[in-house]
Amino acid sequence: MRLGIGDTTKPITPSILKGLNYGVERLGHVETYRGYGDEQGDIRLKASLVKYYSNIGVNIYSSEIFISDGAKPDCANIQSIFSLENVVAIQDPAYPVYVDTNVIAGRTGQFNKEEGQYEGLVYMPCTEENNFFPDVPSRQIDLIYLCSPNNPTGAVATREQLKNFIDYARGIKAIIIFDAAYSFFILNHDLPKSIYEIDGAKECSIEINSFSKIAGFTGVRLGWTVVPKDIICENSDLGKINTIWNRRQCTFFNGASNIAQEGGLAALTEEGQEECKELVDYYMENARIIREGLKSIWLVVYGGENAPYIWMKTPNNMRSWEFFDKLLNETHVVGTPGIGFGARGEGYFRLSAFGHRENIKEAIESIKNNLRL
Ligand code: PLP
């Protein structure tokens, strides 16, 4: 029973499917056929996103939005517009793309096997003590990656916590790269879905988001990045970061698929949003079943309340891979060892709520009945 991968399993919902079909159909007629689109994305989709942001009280201009083929490429590529001399801070544990792309770019030193970390990177520990959200670094940083809701810990930053980072970044003209790929899973209205809900964020933050997990687009491929014109960073004029990202995208990317963008447009309609909410509710009920099930046998679990991931402390301080083998052998359940997300993930285990309900229930029953604690 696979509770390992963060891939969606529910089919695409009717009105979004209709949008995708419309995109396909248009390609079959000379009157409606379209080839290359704007590299920055369809203006209608950007307008829908402007509206989405305004509904959560955030004022974003269409020219600040760049539609892409997903959050992963944007998380990976964004570092390329910054100097190789930049000092990078990353949450530990975190989605591995932030570390690995900076390693590939040549911004780090050697991998220290003993510490399980790369030299030259600043790791921000996310532990039980800080509720899995880091404190502001004590040294000068240029690029700060934050992910909320976090993969793998499921922790969500509060307004206060984000404000601290924003104040810090503005103070030293650093940039926050904010990955909000799971923002639609935030059920608690007091928690921010976008970093721009916090004052001052537009002066220092780039936000990356995705249609993957809300609309089931992990295979369709569609995301977006917001690069505000107000960003002020070291050695850069106002608006420059937006211009450079535009130049980067126009040079390396020919725009997201027009079929996918029709699907995205449909997902942002009122009907589409209701369907997305149903998908989110379904996965979040899975998360509840996993959480409650594990807690009922006295396992220590975090996350899963405003995020589709459950971050579990391994019993008896077992190492993550040791627990992986034990869980597989005794219960036939597969999860993800925490160490895969960074050194501070050792001793933890991630379970994903993106599976089918029956499979999740069977997995939890098997853990309850067969795991020898
Ligand atoms: N960001 C985080 C934190 C993720 O966990 C994932 C996928 O699992 C992504 C980005 C990738 O999203 P996309 O499918 O849009 O590339």
Side-chain angles (χ1 to χ4, degrees):
M1 288 158 280
R2 300 172 67 175
L3 271 65
I5 313 176
D7 194 3
T8 47
T9 53
K10 294 284 283 175
I12 290 175
T13 56
S15 76
I16 302 176
L17 207 55
K18 214 165 134 191
L20 290 167
N21 279 328
Y22 174 70
V24 172
E25 190 55 37
R26 274 164 58 114
L27 295 177
H29 307 277
V30 72
E31 301 79 17
T32 48
Y33 174 81
R34 292 277 182 284
Y36 293 125
D38 293 339
E39 289 91 342
Q40 302 83 358
D42 188 317
I43 46 168
R44 294 170 303 147
L45 182 56
K46 294 203 292 173
S48 296
L49 285 168
V50 167
K51 193 159 160 249
Y52 158 73
Y53 279 108
S54 94
N55 287 343
I56 56 169
V58 168
N59 187 19
I60 298 285
Y61 298 105
S62 179
S63 55
E64 296 176 318
I65 298 175
F66 296 84
I67 308 294
S68 71
D69 57 348
K72 185 179 194 173
D74 285 358
C75 288
N77 295 329
I78 196 74
Q79 50 75 31
S80 70
I81 64 169
F82 296 99
S83 162
L84 285 180
E85 263 76 65
N86 277 180
V87 178
V88 175
I90 291 170
Q91 286 169 284
D92 182 12
Y95 183 49
V97 172
Y98 320 135
V99 169
D100 293 352
T101 53
N102 277 289
V103 172
I104 292 169
R107 225 173 252 113
T108 68
Q110 293 297 313
F111 185 67
N112 181 327
K113 275 199 182 135
E114 257 157 53
E115 290 180 9
Q117 297 186 329
Y118 283 92
E119 288 160 11
L121 279 182
V122 175
Y123 291 87
M124 301 183 288
C126 299
T127 59
E128 276 174 303
E129 289 72 37
N130 60 18
N131 280 323
F132 301 98
F133 193 80
D135 302 322
V136 167
S138 51
R139 57 174 285 195
Q140 177 100 10
I141 306 289
D142 301 298
L143 295 177
I144 304 159
Y145 288 80
L146 291 178
C147 178
S148 173
N150 186 272
N151 175 14
T153 65
V156 184
T158 63
R159 285 170 192 279
E160 244 178 13
Q161 285 169 328
L162 288 185
K163 180 80 180 122
N164 286 343
F165 268 89
I166 289 163
D167 289 346
Y168 166 79
R170 285 170 76 194
I172 57 169
K173 293 188 177 169
I175 297 239
I176 298 172
I177 297 161
F178 189 74
D179 184 349
Y182 298 98
S183 59
F184 293 87
F185 291 83
I186 298 178
L187 305 178
N188 180 340
H189 295 298
D190 295 333
L191 294 169
K193 290 187 166 183
S194 163
I195 195 164
Y196 304 122
E197 289 181 53
I198 317 299
D199 278 350
K202 281 192 84 177
E203 286 169 32
C204 60
S205 314
I206 292 171
E207 182 165 292
I208 298 171
N209 211 322
S210 169
F211 286 90
S212 279
K213 309 293 163 90
I214 35 151
F217 273 24
T218 47
V220 175
R221 310 305 305 145
L222 193 67
W224 73 91
T225 286
V226 180
V227 186
K229 296 200 168 163
D230 292 347
I231 287 184
I232 303 160
C233 84
E234 189 124 49
N235 298 331
S236 171
D237 303 326
L238 210 59
K240 188 89 180 278
I241 300 296
N242 177 285
T243 311
I244 296 177
W245 182 245
N246 185 36
R247 182 68 194 268
R248 191 267 165 215
Q249 288 300 79
C250 291
T251 310
F252 283 72
F253 184 57
N254 249 340
S257 145
N258 48 18
I259 301 169
Q261 293 193 78
E262 289 298 338
L265 259 170
L268 291 173
T269 61
E270 215 169 291
E271 209 180 345
Q273 283 293 284
E274 261 162 44
E275 292 175 0
C276 289
K277 195 180 167 306
E278 275 170 35
L279 283 181
V280 165
D281 288 347
Y282 179 89
Y283 293 130
M284 290 309 288
E285 174 59 12
N286 285 351
R288 193 194 62 78
I289 292 168
I290 299 171
R291 258 181 78 89
E292 299 304 316
L294 299 179
K295 277 167 87 175
S296 74
I297 53 168
W298 306 106
L299 288 166
V300 178
V301 292
Y302 299 95
E305 284 176 314
N306 293 285
Y309 296 117
I310 285 84
W311 190 236
M312 177 190 150
K313 205 168 155 72
T314 57
N316 310 318
N317 292 321
M318 285 178 89
R319 297 176 80 77
S320 315
W321 274 111
E322 216 185 317
F323 182 72
F324 174 90
D325 289 338
K326 180 180 167 68
L327 193 72
L328 181 59
N329 289 327
E330 292 176 5
T331 74
H332 301 168
V333 173
V334 174
T336 311
I339 186 81
F341 301 96
R344 298 288 190 332
E346 182 58 288
Y348 288 90
F349 203 72
R350 191 194 77 173
L351 293 168
S352 159
F354 282 115
H356 293 292
R357 180 73 43 81
E358 292 63 39
N359 189 40
I360 300 255
K361 280 187 173 163
E362 206 181 327
I364 295 304
E365 280 315 301
S366 178
I367 294 175
K368 278 165 57 175
N369 296 329
N370 303 317
L371 185 66
R372 290 194 291 273
L373 292 166

